[in-house]
Amino acid sequence: NAGVTQTPKFRVLKTGQSMTLLCAQDMNHEYMYWYRQDPGMGLRLIHYSVGEGTTAKGEVPDGYNVSRLKKQNFLLGLESAAPSQTSVYFCASSNRDRAYEQYFGPGTRLTVT
Amino acid sequence: RKEVEQDPGPFNVPEGATVAFNCTYSNSASQSFFWYRQDCRKEPKLLMSVYSSGNEDGRFTAQLNRASQYISLLIRDSKLSDSATYLCVVRAQGGKLIFGQGTELSVKP
């Protein structure tokens, strides 16, 4: 049982480049989330999804887009990367009935130069 | 003011010590409360929920004071394996989780 997986684990981008981070979960969870974690800031919610085909903005959505075409996958896109997007990105999923218990992926460490 | 505030630490304690972490939250309408644990460069994991009456899970005791908007986590008889960052988490109206910045604990032999 893999739980939540994220691809890639590390990436270095130049300013202005684009990329997509992939999150996959095999627990049949309805809810999925993308967070970023920066030193001294804690985890901040970027976007989330409460079901296939639905997405919503979180606390810090600017500069990111998401899609949830399949229940098990949640994609995070950066259209034009900026140095301020250097961060560790975590994906998480949860069951609708226990939404407070989120299962996190191992994270993607992104550096934008 | 941050919605959830924690002392960032680090707390450096010897094995066997008792250590307490505090957390305050700003939104009085917050619905539920949790502690997550995050090991160095790893993903966060749920440690325990926090109930109004206080609750224990082995060496861990969590307390909530809604009037003061204050949450605490007490760890007794610290082990080396308790070294981690402890995240205070509040569930806001609408169901989203708000994470504190975390308190780092280092337990030394």
Side-chain angles (χ1 to χ4, degrees), chain B residues 12-25:
Chain B
N12 297 304
V13 302
E15 269 187 293
T18 295
V19 60
F21 304 135
N22 303 319
C23 169
T24 58
Y25 60 95

Side-chain angles (χ1 to χ4, degrees), chain B residues 33 50-55 63-66:
Chain B
F33 311 88
V50 186
Y51 302 119
S52 297
S53 53
N55 49 295
Q63 300 244 317
L64 167 65
N65 184 323
R66 282 191 184 270

